[in-house]
Amino acid sequence: MSVGIHPFFSIATKRFNFCSFKRVGIAVNSYSLPLSLSGSHNRTPSPSTMGDEKLGLKSSESDKYSKELDVAVRVVQMACSLCQRVQESLVSKNNDQVKSKDDDSPVTIADWSVQATVSWVLSECFGRESVSIIAEEDVNTLSRADAVGLLESVVKTVNECLAEAPKFGLKGPDRVLETSEVLEAISRCNSTGSHPGRHWVLDPVDGTLGFVRGDQYAIALAMIEDGEVLLGVLGCPNYPMNKEWLKYHHRDFLVMSKSSPSTSESWNKGCVIYAKRGCGKAWMQPLVHKSEKLVWPNSAREIRVSTIDDPALATFCEPVERANSSHSFTAGLAHSVGLRKQPLRVYSMVKYAAIARGDAEIFMKFARAGYKEKIWDHAAGVLIIQEAGGVVTDAGGRPLDFSKGIFLEGLDRGIIACSGATLLEKIVRAVDASWDSSNL
Ligand SMILES: Nc1ncnc2c1ncn2[C@@H]1O[C@H](COP(=O)(O)OS(=O)(=O)O)[C@@H](OP(=O)(O)O)[C@H]1O
Ligand SMILES: [Mg+2]
Ligand SMILES: [Mg+2]
Ligand SMILES: [Mg+2]
C-alpha cells in the first residue's frame, strides 16, 4: 500500500462548506421520540426483543441471536460516535490523515479505529477464539515506519472510543490498549469466510469518499451463518431520522440554508438501522448524541419500504462516483422503465437505508466489468431491505450469494434493490433488453 495524502482530501475541504452536515442548516424536523430511560418506552423495543412478540415466536426462537444483535447495535452506535468526531476533525483541520490504498481508494483513521473497536468488542463479548470477522481494512499502511503519527492517532481514537463503552451499555477495557493490541484487533479481522459457520462482516466506514468530503457514509456490520445473512446493522451518522433532506440534492442545500435555518443538532442526529432475519421487520433508532447523557435502551421505531410501484413516481439511488457504477447505463434503464425523477446520488450503504426507510424505491449499481463486489459493501443493507419488505437481487433476478467468502461470487452484471417485486421485474427486463448494446 502506498502512503500519501489522498487527492480527494483537498476536494473534501473545498466541498465541506457546500454540503456539510454541520454548517448547513436544513429544514428537518428532529426526531420526536425522546431517547428512553431504561424501560420507559414499552412500544419501542430494544434490538433483542424487536417484533418477536407479534410474530408469536416461542421464547427460545425469539431469543435466538438476541445477544448478538444487541451487541452489534451498541457497538455500531459507538462507532458512529467515533466517526462523527473524526469527520469533524478531518474536515475542519485540513490535516493529512486521509491515505490512499493501492487501488487509489481513500482510508482514514476512522476506518482503522472503527475496525479495531468493533473487533475488540466482539472478541470480548463472544470470545476471541470463536469470533471470525471478515472486514475491509488491514494493518499494512499503519505498520510502516513512516506511519508512526497515523498509528498514534488510531490508538488514541480507539482508546477514547472504548472508554465510552459503558455509556452504550458495553464493558470497556480495564486499562488503555497498547499499540500492539490495537494492531492485533485490526488484523484479527482477516477471516476469508471460506468455511461454513458464523462470520461477522464489517465495513468500518463504507463510503470513505463521502466521509472525507464531509458527506454521507455508513458503518456496516452483519452476521452471516452458513452463508446466510442473519443480522444486519447500519450506522448512518449523517442521515437524520427525518427524511426531508433526501428530497434535495447537495446543490440545493445552500439555498435552503438561507431560507430555513436549522440547528446543527437536528441535522447531526443520525440513525442506526437494524434487522434480524425472519422477523419481517426492520428498526431504526436515533444516534446517541455526544451532548446527551446515557440513555439505553435507545428508542427504536419500525421502518418499512415505500408502497410506490409506479416508476413515474419512484426515486432511484446510485453511487456518486461514475467509476463505481455506470451512470449512463442506469440513465438508459431509467428512461426505458419510465423513471421520471433525477437519480439520487448518495455515498455508501445509506442508499440501502433509504430504500428500507421508504425514502426511495430503487437502488442500482452496475460496476465496470471485472470488478468483484465485496460482501461487506452489501450484507447488512440487503438483509435490512428484505426485512423491511423490499427485494434485492442481481441483474438476473437471482439472490446475492454471501456463502463464498469475501466476494459476491457469481453476481450477474449488477445489483438491484427495490421496494417491491413489480419495480424489480421491470428493471430486470430492461437490463436484459439493453445489456448487449451497453459498454459494460
Ligand atoms: N471500481 C469500483 N467499482 C465499484 N465499487 C467500487 C469500486 N471501487 C471501490 N468500490 C466500492 O464501492 C464502495 C463505495 O460505494 P458507493 O456506493 O458509496 O460509491 S460512491 O462513493 O457513492 O461512488 C466502496 O466502499 P468503501 O471502500 O467502504 O468506501 C468500495 O468497496
Ligand atoms: Mg474502502
Ligand atoms: Mg464499503
Ligand atoms: Mg470501507
Side-chain angles (χ1 to χ4, degrees):
M1 264 186 207
S2 58
V3 184
I5 299 173
H6 194 278
F8 291 120
F9 186 65
S10 52
I11 302 168
T13 335
K14 269 188 235 141
R15 284 184 48 137
F16 187 62
N17 287 335
F18 185 61
C19 64
S20 136
F21 61 95
K22 268 234 53 112
R23 304 195 186 162
V24 175
I26 268 209
V28 290
N29 301 322
S30 56
Y31 182 52
S32 57
L33 259 183
L35 291 166
S36 70
L37 290 167
S38 196
S40 65
H41 280 282
N42 295 333
R43 285 179 295 131
T44 55
S46 72
S48 49
T49 59
M50 54 179 227
D52 289 330
E53 70 285 0
K54 287 199 181 138
L55 288 167
L57 296 175
K58 292 192 199 111
S59 65
S60 59
E61 287 166 359
S62 66
D63 287 349
K64 223 172 171 192
Y65 310 118
S66 292
K67 183 180 175 198
E68 287 82 355
L69 182 58
D70 197 51
V71 169
V73 171
R74 288 168 196 261
V75 76
V76 168
Q77 282 273 1
M78 283 174 68
C80 289
S81 174
L82 183 162
C83 287
Q84 283 190 316
R85 274 197 296 268
V86 176
Q87 193 183 44
E88 269 175 41
S89 120
L90 266 185
V91 291
S92 63
K93 285 191 194 144
N94 194 17
N95 62 26
D96 63 351
Q97 299 204 320
V98 181
K99 303 296 176 192
S100 288
K101 298 203 274 190
D102 283 345
D103 61 358
D104 283 339
S105 66
V107 59
T108 72
I109 59 169
D111 300 65
W112 289 301
S113 302
V114 168
Q115 187 159 316
T117 301
V118 173
S119 167
W120 191 89
V121 168
L122 292 180
S123 297
E124 284 295 301
C125 291
F126 302 112
R128 180 172 300 209
E129 299 313 316
S130 52
V131 167
S132 161
I133 307 174
I134 306 165
E136 182 180 356
E137 306 306 338
D138 58 40
V139 294
N140 295 349
T141 298
L142 276 184
S143 310
R144 289 172 57 132
D146 59 354
V148 175
L150 192 65
L151 181 54
E152 272 171 12
S153 299
V154 170
V155 173
K156 183 167 173 278
T157 306
V158 171
N159 277 306
E160 279 170 4
C161 181
L162 287 174
E164 288 199 333
K167 174 176 159 185
F168 297 90
L170 292 169
K171 190 178 167 302
D174 299 330
R175 55 170 179 77
V176 167
L177 296 190
E178 289 174 14
T179 302
S180 60
E181 294 171 301
V182 171
L183 284 171
E184 203 269 319
I186 297 170
S187 42
R188 205 184 303 146
C189 304
N190 62 355
S191 171
T192 55
S194 41
H195 60 280
R198 177 178 297 187
H199 305 282
W200 291 91
V201 180
L202 171 68
D203 194 339
V205 177
D206 180 53
T208 304
L209 198 49
F211 179 77
V212 301
R213 288 176 172 174
D215 209 307
Q216 293 296 330
Y217 64 98
I219 293 108
L221 181 60
M223 194 186 83
I224 291 181
E225 212 164 69
D226 298 332
E228 256 206 325
V229 187
L230 298 183
L231 304 177
V233 184
L234 273 183
C236 308
N238 290 342
Y239 189 180
M241 297 287 284
N242 185 291
K243 72 175 185 181
E244 287 309 306
W245 76 272
L246 261 182
K247 288 182 186 158
Y248 304 95
H249 288 275
H250 288 314
R251 64 174 172 272
D252 299 325
F253 284 4
L254 209 58
V255 178
M256 288 171 65
S257 70
K258 285 182 189 148
S259 56
S260 27
S262 162
T263 62
S264 62
E265 187 89 344
S266 63
W267 172 238
N268 233 343
K269 185 84 92 181
C271 63
V272 173
I273 297 180
Y274 49 89
K276 177 159 83 168
R277 176 165 294 283
C279 286
K281 293 181 177 196
W283 297 87
M284 168 168 75
Q285 60 178 215
L287 226 56
V288 175
H289 194 263
K290 61 181 172 224
S291 66
E292 290 156 353
K293 294 204 183 90
L294 165 60
V295 263
W296 195 274
N298 191 347
S299 306
R301 70 164 141 95
E302 195 184 332
I303 54 169
R304 200 77 202 146
V305 294
S306 159
T307 52
I308 290 174
D309 63 3
D310 175 356
L313 302 176
T315 299
F316 93 86
C317 315
E318 64 181 347
V320 175
E321 294 294 303
R322 286 170 190 279
N324 288 357
S325 181
S326 170
H327 289 177
S328 54
F329 183 62
T330 53
L333 286 180
H335 180 74
S336 60
V337 169
L339 300 175
R340 297 281 170 263
K341 297 188 184 178
Q342 287 298 303
L344 189 61
R345 296 193 176 127
V346 183
Y347 297 100
S348 83
M349 261 184 273
V350 164
K351 294 184 278 293
Y352 280 104
I355 308 296
R357 280 174 46 160
D359 296 343
E361 284 74 30
I362 299 162
F363 161 51
M364 297 188 267
K365 181 176 181 189
F366 290 89
R368 62 170 162 72
Y371 179 80
K372 290 180 83 175
E373 296 284 354
K374 284 118 181 168
I375 58 171
W376 54 70
D377 281 324
H378 306 284
V382 168
L383 180 70
I384 287 168
I385 287 189
Q386 288 170 338
E387 295 301 315
V391 281
V392 188
T393 68
D394 65 16
R398 278 182 290 273
L400 309 190
D401 182 357
F402 290 95
S403 72
K404 299 285 190 309
I406 288 174
F407 298 104
L408 284 176
E409 300 288 355
L411 186 82
D412 183 358
R413 293 168 287 182
I415 294 173
I416 305 168
C418 289
S419 51
T422 309
L423 286 171
L424 180 81
E425 280 160 24
K426 287 183 174 149
I427 295 170
V428 168
R429 273 202 299 271
V431 173
D432 273 341
S434 58
W435 185 257
D436 287 344
S437 56
S438 79
N439 295 322
L440 288 164

